[in-house]
Amino acid sequence: MDSNKLIFEQVAEMVENQILDGLLNPEDQSPSTTDFANIYGINPATARKGLNILVDEGILYKKRGMGMFVTSEAKKIISEKRKNEYLTNILPDLIKNIQMLGISQDELIKEIEKNYKELSND
């Protein structure tokens, strides 16, 4: 668990990561609140709050008496959400720091292309 984020946010993020990584696919059952409570030693209500966020966002849906399951649109919803978060919150700060360090746009583009190519080959 990461002490910089609220626990219920971390629960939601863990499930999102499992979906993005292909560990949870559409119609797969999400780990339960009890699973999170037992594995991470957290309150089941805290885990429930994290999972309910994903329900509210259309990433999970509830089957009465059976648990929560991944929606068919989950991966797309998560990707869009994180893309928007990155472009709105992270990228502007990154560019500001790059400019403060005196890295030119051309240098940045070359490094991005180099790194993108290297990571794509992994």
Side-chain angles (χ1 to χ4, degrees):
M1 302 302 271
D2 178 1
S3 62
N4 295 325
K5 289 186 180 180
L6 298 172
I7 295 171
F8 71 88
E9 291 173 337
Q10 294 176 62
V11 168
E13 189 174 272
M14 280 188 251
V15 174
E16 286 181 349
N17 289 341
Q18 290 177 343
I19 293 168
L20 289 176
D21 290 341
L23 300 172
L24 284 175
N25 295 299
E27 301 306 320
D28 284 352
Q29 187 170 10
S30 167
S32 70
T33 57
T34 305
D35 293 336
F36 279 106
N38 291 337
I39 294 168
Y40 297 103
I42 62 174
N43 186 315
T46 302
R48 189 174 307 108
K49 186 172 181 179
L51 295 175
N52 282 333
I53 288 171
L54 299 179
V55 171
D56 293 343
E57 292 177 352
I59 295 167
L60 297 179
Y61 68 95
K62 295 178 183 181
K63 282 188 183 178
R64 187 176 202 140
M66 296 183 68
M68 297 189 194
F69 294 80
V70 179
T71 67
S72 60
E73 296 293 312
K75 198 168 195 171
K76 179 181 173 188
I77 293 167
I78 298 164
S79 294
E80 270 305 305
K81 178 175 81 167
R82 290 196 180 180
K83 177 180 163 184
N84 289 334
E85 183 180 312
Y86 190 86
L87 293 175
T88 305
N89 299 325
I90 298 170
L91 189 59
D93 285 340
L94 179 64
I95 291 170
K96 182 180 176 182
N97 286 323
I98 287 168
Q99 289 173 335
M100 286 188 332
L101 293 171
I103 298 171
S104 73
Q105 186 174 351
D106 288 338
E107 286 177 288
L108 176 61
I109 291 169
K110 284 178 187 173
E111 283 300 311
I112 290 171
E113 288 173 345
K114 177 183 144 195
N115 282 281
Y116 197 91
K117 196 176 288 185
E118 287 173 3
L119 291 171
S120 296
N121 291 331
D122 288 348

